[in-house]
Amino acid sequence: AAVSTADTPALAQKDSYRVGFAQMESNNPWRIAETKSFHDTAESCGWDLIATDAAGSAAKQVADVDSMIAQGIDVLFLPPREEKPLIPAVMKAKAAGIPTFLVDRSVDPNVAQAGEHFVAFLGSDFIEQGERAAEWLIANFPEDKGIIVELEGTTGSSPANDRKKGFDDRILQDDRFEIVASQTGDFARDLGRQVMETLLQAHPDVNVVYAHNDEMAIGAIQALELAGRKPGEDITIVSIDGTRDALQAIIDGKMGVTVESSPFFGPLACDVMKKYAAGEEIPGWVKVEDRVFTLDNAADHIDEAY
Ligand code: GYE
């Protein structure tokens, strides 16, 4: 992993920092939990926090970062909605001498690199998340032939790209499985429901749904139930995140697995920022380890879910 200290802007050791957190959208529990995690961490980490909400627009997210730079932030935490459109924000922060930490999503690695344009990416291994969803399916799918519909996350976002790659590569090694459709639901519940409705008409024989996040999986379950299908009985649902609704769906027997992707980045962000200010070497990728939630453990974790 790249080591970041030489080429990224330095951060002084101080009692308090003006910190920017440029959230991309707030239309789902995952985003709300992440923003809350930054607010909850602010006081104990000495952050004077400026948090914005780009309402699902990469252009607004870039503009929000511009305005934070103008307000004199010391450090930027940025979850880039999409891999390419947020590159200008990363470059401008660097040019302004502000160290940037990407949280939960990354940018196009061919254009911007950890240790050079930003300090580090804090987040999960999305390829591995997709592989783990596929591996659960391979081990637990009860039928001879799996006809899969895939609901992709936001087009051009790093988790959508990598969760697709990890899952598709792994599942297609088992010739029981076929992916008959793969379409974006923008990581959103309502779009997941609508897309599932349409795909169900084109592919009535579908018996597996792989959703890139729980919100779309819940939307798909709603569409399936409305069409008279029985999620968990005649169709297997696999997903990623670990939201409260998904853990409940697992407990209710409707969903098979959700691979964890935690939104609680505040404490990690504080820790990495302080180490960076102290001159410690920060790996270019601060990797978050994820758990897997199934019927075996969902009830043990639902109380801490969001
Ligand atoms: O899985 C999804 C959210 O970037 C890891 O974005 C994050 C993903 C998460 O909207 O639910």
Side-chain angles (χ1 to χ4, degrees):
V3 159
S4 345
T5 42
D7 295 325
T8 48
L11 186 63
Q13 279 185 295
K14 317 190 277 186
D15 290 336
S16 87
Y17 295 88
R18 180 164 268 211
V19 169
F21 175 62
Q23 183 57 285
M24 66 182 77
E25 59 208 2
S26 302
N27 61 342
N28 63 67
W30 199 100
R31 291 288 142 200
I32 291 165
E34 184 185 48
T35 302
K36 183 172 187 299
S37 180
F38 274 88
H39 282 294
D40 290 350
T41 305
E43 199 183 328
S44 65
C45 201
W47 290 347
D48 168 15
L49 185 67
I50 303 173
T52 52
D53 174 8
S57 158
K60 177 164 187 319
Q61 201 178 16
V62 173
D64 288 343
V65 171
D66 280 343
S67 118
M68 287 174 177
I69 294 171
Q71 291 175 73
I73 52 168
D74 299 308
V75 52
L76 173 64
F77 292 104
L78 175 66
R81 188 169 194 275
E82 292 133 62
E83 282 197 316
K84 290 182 202 295
L86 269 298
I87 298 266
V90 172
M91 299 302 185
K92 282 191 227 177
K94 165 144 188 187
I98 298 160
T100 296
F101 298 86
L102 300 183
V103 287
D104 90 71
R105 290 188 193 174
S106 198
V107 290
D108 183 350
N110 297 311
V111 189
Q113 284 99 36
E116 189 180 347
H117 305 100
F118 57 93
V119 178
F121 165 56
L122 282 47
S124 295
D125 185 334
F126 303 129
I127 292 183
E128 191 176 80
Q129 290 175 340
E131 287 170 351
R132 292 171 86 183
E135 274 152 22
W136 184 91
L137 192 59
I138 288 167
N140 293 280
F141 188 62
E143 296 172 56
D144 296 334
K145 185 85 194 114
I147 314 282
I148 304 172
V149 157
E150 178 166 350
L151 299 176
E152 302 172 15
T154 296
T155 304
S157 72
S158 62
N161 291 341
D162 291 352
R163 286 171 184 172
K164 178 166 183 61
K165 183 174 174 28
F167 179 87
D168 290 10
D169 287 354
R170 185 73 191 83
I171 207 71
L172 296 177
Q173 287 168 13
D174 184 329
D175 46 61
R176 277 190 299 160
F177 294 99
E178 183 191 350
I179 301 169
V180 291
S182 185
Q183 210 169 296
T184 185
D186 203 22
F187 280 129
R189 181 182 296 212
D190 204 50
L191 200 59
R193 184 182 56 70
Q194 289 172 42
V195 171
M196 190 67 233
E197 241 169 56
T198 308
L199 292 179
L200 195 54
Q201 279 162 24
H203 306 281
D205 55 346
V206 55
N207 57 8
V208 178
V209 173
Y210 166 48
H212 289 187
N213 80 344
D214 287 342
E215 282 293 280
M216 294 189 296
I218 297 291
I221 288 173
Q222 291 169 349
L224 289 162
E225 288 182 332
L226 217 67
R229 298 291 303 267
K230 297 214 166 353
E233 288 177 40
D234 61 13
I235 182 157
T236 301
I237 318 288
V238 302
S239 177
I240 295 171
D241 269 353
T243 65
R244 180 181 299 271
D245 287 354
L247 297 186
Q248 189 60 53
I250 289 173
I251 293 166
D252 295 342
K254 296 179 180 181
M255 194 185 284
V257 65
T258 185
V259 179
E260 184 182 33
S261 198
S262 171
F264 301 116
F265 278 96
L268 181 65
C270 174
D271 184 55
V272 173
M273 186 205 86
K274 293 231 152 127
K275 285 182 172 148
Y276 185 66
E280 284 185 40
E281 287 189 348
I282 308 295
W285 182 2
V286 179
K287 192 169 159 178
V288 174
E289 297 299 333
D290 303 313
R291 298 169 287 185
V292 170
F293 299 123
T294 64
L295 198 52
D296 289 339
N297 62 354
D300 301 334
H301 296 289
I302 195 157
D303 287 341
E304 80 222 24
Y306 51 96

